[in-house]
């Protein structure tokens, strides 16, 4: 059983930055995919970005490309989401997720493990 814990959320003004961290228990195998999703009240869970644990590939949708950066530290078993130039529409609960089968997917139902989420609120 994989345990994921997100930290780093908070309140920030538009244009500001936050860095989220997701710490995973045990050793994450190189075939795993680590992703970030977000969900605002009344909306579907939305894909943000993902990275292959091997580091060989990443995927950024246009909504976050150029503003968000995903990275991982396989010594610390941690994945990070650096969020810059935040917008009000980025406000959501952000979830870290793990997918045990390659390849990267944007569908939340394809992911096997989830953290509890961390709230990101962007004020205007």
């Amino acid at each position: 059983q994989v345990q994921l814990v997100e930290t780093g959320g908070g309140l920030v003004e538009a244009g500001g930055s936050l860095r989220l961290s997701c710490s995973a228990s045990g050793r994450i195998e190189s075939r795993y995919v680590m992703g970030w999703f977000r969900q605002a009240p009344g909306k579907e869970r939305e894909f943000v970005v993902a990275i292959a644990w091997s580091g060989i590939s990443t995927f950024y949708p246009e909504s976050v490309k150029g503003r968000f950066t995903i990275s991982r530290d396989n010594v610390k078993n941690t994945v990070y989401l650096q969020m810059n130039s935040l917008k009000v529409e980025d406000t959501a609960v952000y979830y870290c997720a793990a997918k045990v089968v390659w390849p990267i997917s944007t569908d939340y139902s394809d992911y096997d493990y989830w953290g509890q989420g961390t709230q990101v609120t962007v004020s205007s």
Side-chain angles (χ1 to χ4, degrees), residues 3-75:
Q3 302 289 135
L4 304 174
V5 179
E6 306 99 331
T7 59
L11 176 65
V12 64
E13 294 186 358
S17 298
L18 286 173
R19 189 179 76 157
L20 307 184
S21 299
C22 173
S23 297
S25 65
R27 183 177 64 86
I28 304 299
E29 298 181 13
S30 61
R31 65 190 177 97
Y32 277 37
V33 171
M34 302 298 294
W36 289 94
F37 290 77
R38 63 188 182 187
Q39 188 166 23
K43 295 186 178 296
E44 296 288 332
R45 192 161 295 189
E46 175 189 17
F47 175 81
V48 178
V49 67
I51 186 171
W53 191 246
S54 66
I56 195 170
S57 64
T58 57
F59 177 71
Y60 296 86
E62 290 300 319
S63 60
V64 304
K65 188 177 296 183
R67 299 191 298 123
F68 292 8
T69 303
I70 191 170
S71 62
R72 90 278 186 263
D73 184 333
N74 52 13
V75 174

